Amino acid sequence: MKITFYGHACFGVEVAGQHLLFDPFISGNELAKDIDLETIPADYILLSHGHEDHVLDAEVIAKRTGAKVVSIFEIVSWYGAKGVDGHPMNIGGVWKFPFGTVKFVTANHSSTLPDGSNGGVPGGFVCETAEGNFYFAGDTSLTLDMKLIPITCAPLDFAILPIGDNFTMGFNDAAIAAEWVEAKKVIACHYDTFGYIVVDRDEAKRAFAKRAIDLRFLNIGQTINSKDL
Ligand code: NI
Ligand code: MN
């Protein structure tokens, strides 16, 4: 599968000929100003929670591409009222999509939508596909629920974890999270976008290396094959 980083917590994943797009926040991200919103492909837009730095561009991309929003019931309903098609889930649920199965798992965070509407509770996604399995944590602290992932899901090929601290876990806790979910390869997200979440990349890599886990930083706009992680 191919993974493209669009900045902050936004990733495109191409698997089984389908394009998954996670947490689109591009037009509001100064660091992602070279990304052309108009060309981002999407068949499914997976939203971890309702905060603007995760959903800002979901509506415009969904309307251009016809992509389905996959998220918690409250967020899918909010998009439904805007004429966007969706697939509602809730914590602990698994659904089989054409590209593989998705489990919506616990995240420990908050989730109000940009207009103040109730975004339900935040979540993360475990995706199991014929081309590999991965965990997209969303915004979360380190939480004991992560220990359920290796018990209840197929072994992970990689995880996408927030490391920026202040609003989510920082890299020291994220390294523990990686160990708990049993991911040997981790792609960093939710760092550097705002002043509160600027990280020292070398220090972050060392925190993971101490646990024999490889932390990767992708450039914004970079695409990588999961086999090359
Ligand atoms: Ni958030
Ligand atoms: Mn966030």
Side-chain angles (χ1 to χ4, degrees):
M1 81 181 69
K2 278 193 223 157
I3 306 147
T4 302
F5 183 43
Y6 293 114
H8 197 52
C10 182
F11 290 84
V13 174
E14 187 184 345
V15 56
Q18 305 270 291
H19 290 94
L20 319 189
L21 182 66
F22 291 86
D23 286 5
F25 172 72
I26 294 142
S27 62
N29 183 359
E30 182 59 25
L31 301 179
K33 61 180 186 310
D34 294 336
I35 301 293
D36 181 6
L37 205 56
E38 293 302 308
T39 60
I40 294 176
D43 296 295
Y44 296 91
I45 300 174
L46 296 89
L47 302 176
S48 64
H49 65 296
H51 289 161
E52 190 172 65
D53 62 315
H54 298 260
V55 306
L56 182 65
D57 299 313
E59 184 179 350
V60 63
I61 296 171
K63 286 185 172 166
R64 172 174 56 79
T65 58
K68 242 182 207 199
V69 167
V70 179
S71 190
I72 195 152
F73 177 82
E74 286 83 351
I75 291 178
V76 169
S77 302
W78 191 76
Y79 278 102
K82 297 173 182 297
V84 172
D85 194 15
H87 179 96
M89 298 187 75
N90 212 321
I91 302 297
V94 176
W95 185 257
K96 208 182 212 359
F97 291 91
F99 58 84
T101 62
V102 173
K103 183 169 194 175
F104 194 59
V105 297
T106 306
N108 190 29
H109 192 67
S110 58
S111 185
T112 306
L113 283 152
D115 67 354
S117 296
N118 172 21
V121 297
F125 299 97
V126 178
C127 300
E128 299 184 13
T129 80
E131 297 170 32
N133 311 321
F134 65 97
Y135 168 46
F136 177 91
D139 282 6
T140 183
S141 67
L142 177 64
T143 168
L144 280 165
D145 282 55
M146 290 166 175
K147 292 193 172 190
L148 297 175
I149 289 176
I151 298 171
T152 60
C153 303
L156 300 177
D157 294 283
F158 66 95
I160 300 174
L161 303 180
I163 63 153
D165 226 326
N166 192 71
F167 296 120
T168 66
M169 57 189 174
F171 52 73
N172 288 311
D173 282 4
I176 297 170
E179 213 167 64
W180 285 358
V181 303
E182 297 177 11
K184 283 287 172 207
K185 294 168 184 177
V186 172
I187 300 173
C189 75
H190 217 275
Y191 60 91
D192 285 2
T193 319
F194 323 112
Y196 291 125
I197 61 171
V198 172
V199 302
D200 180 325
R201 294 186 188 196
D202 292 330
E203 211 185 318
K205 277 173 172 287
R206 279 196 297 274
F208 279 75
K210 264 196 287 189
R211 297 174 188 274
I213 296 161
D214 187 36
L215 179 67
R216 289 292 301 262
F217 288 89
L218 302 186
N219 297 319
I220 296 174
Q222 183 182 356
T223 298
I224 189 168
N225 195 301
S226 59
K227 290 192 188 78
D228 300 324
L229 275 171

